[in-house]
Amino acid sequence: MIEMRVMGIALDTRSGSPIVVLNDLENRRALPIWIGSAEASSIIRKIENIPSVRPMTHDLFINLIEATGLKLDKVEINDVDEQTYFSTLYLSREDGSVIQLDSRPSDAIAIAIRAEVPIFVTSNVLLNGAVSVDSQKDEEEAMEFKNFIKDIKPSDFEKLLKKNFESDQ
């Protein structure tokens, strides 16, 4: 799991659809997720600290969680299938038991930023949808790896295997 945070909301120039953009904590990868306008509005309202006279839907959900004695621990965006993302809300009871609720990522993100809980994304979701936002760092790591491969000898593997075998004993 990779922890991500909301970078902001963008608009798809072709369709005009809102996109929530998540960044990893190192600002190396961005995950764009197309969302509905109501969810985008909710996320923007929280990011910009725009108050509402009455509770919005995601505020109501937070109020309901708190009123029932539950605690939202985290949100996971854990699957993607043909551009459809899936997420889970993790709620805990006072006795320590955990409730997992299926959710659309847009709702999960809007709820998570209100509750100030972490948003995690699985590696398979990142592999399928993330884009690099730090090409210079990517190039540096590629060069380091090329240099490592260039200088490695078969005996290095033997030493590594022997060391790992001894530490397992």
Side-chain angles (χ1 to χ4, degrees):
M1 293 288 187
I2 309 298
E3 187 171 354
M4 310 278 291
R5 67 177 182 276
V6 176
M7 173 70 170
I9 301 289
L11 285 178
D12 183 331
T13 55
R14 291 176 295 180
S15 67
S17 297
I19 304 167
V20 63
V21 181
L22 302 177
N23 274 24
D24 65 7
L25 300 182
E26 298 172 347
N27 288 322
R28 295 282 313 279
R29 291 173 283 195
L31 178 66
I33 301 175
W34 277 252
I35 62 174
S37 38
E39 294 79 16
S41 175
S42 179
I43 292 168
I44 290 169
R45 291 181 78 82
K46 179 59 181 171
I47 290 171
E48 299 292 328
N49 292 316
I50 300 170
S52 62
V53 177
R54 302 289 299 139
M56 303 295 286
T57 303
H58 299 108
D59 299 315
L60 175 64
F61 195 84
I62 295 296
N63 293 342
L64 182 62
I65 290 172
E66 292 171 356
T68 57
L70 297 170
K71 179 180 177 283
L72 180 63
D73 297 315
K74 65 180 177 176
V75 165
E76 287 181 4
I77 300 171
N78 46 29
D79 203 4
V80 60
D81 184 24
E82 296 183 21
Q83 303 301 319
T84 300
Y85 289 85
F86 298 85
S87 64
T88 305
L89 302 174
Y90 287 82
L91 301 145
S92 58
R93 293 184 178 109
E94 288 181 17
D95 66 4
S97 62
V98 175
I99 301 168
Q100 296 180 27
L101 293 178
D102 183 34
S103 173
R104 295 182 309 172
S106 55
D107 291 322
I109 292 166
I111 292 166
I113 64 173
R114 280 170 172 69
E116 299 179 354
V117 299
I119 300 167
F120 291 99
V121 178
T122 59
S123 56
N124 70 309
V125 169
L126 287 174
L127 285 173
N128 286 307
V131 293
S132 176
V133 291
D134 191 347
S135 58
Q136 180 179 353
K137 185 73 171 168
D138 291 343
E139 289 175 26
E140 289 172 10
E141 287 179 355
M143 285 304 293
E144 286 176 22
F145 184 70
K146 286 178 185 176
N147 290 336
F148 171 75
I149 294 295
K150 180 181 70 173
D151 297 334
I152 200 162
K153 301 179 285 294
S155 60
D156 293 335
F157 288 107
E158 184 179 330
K159 292 175 192 172
L160 182 62
L161 288 172
K162 184 178 179 183
K163 180 180 177 184
N164 285 340
F165 178 75
E166 288 172 356
S167 66
D168 289 343
Q169 299 292 319

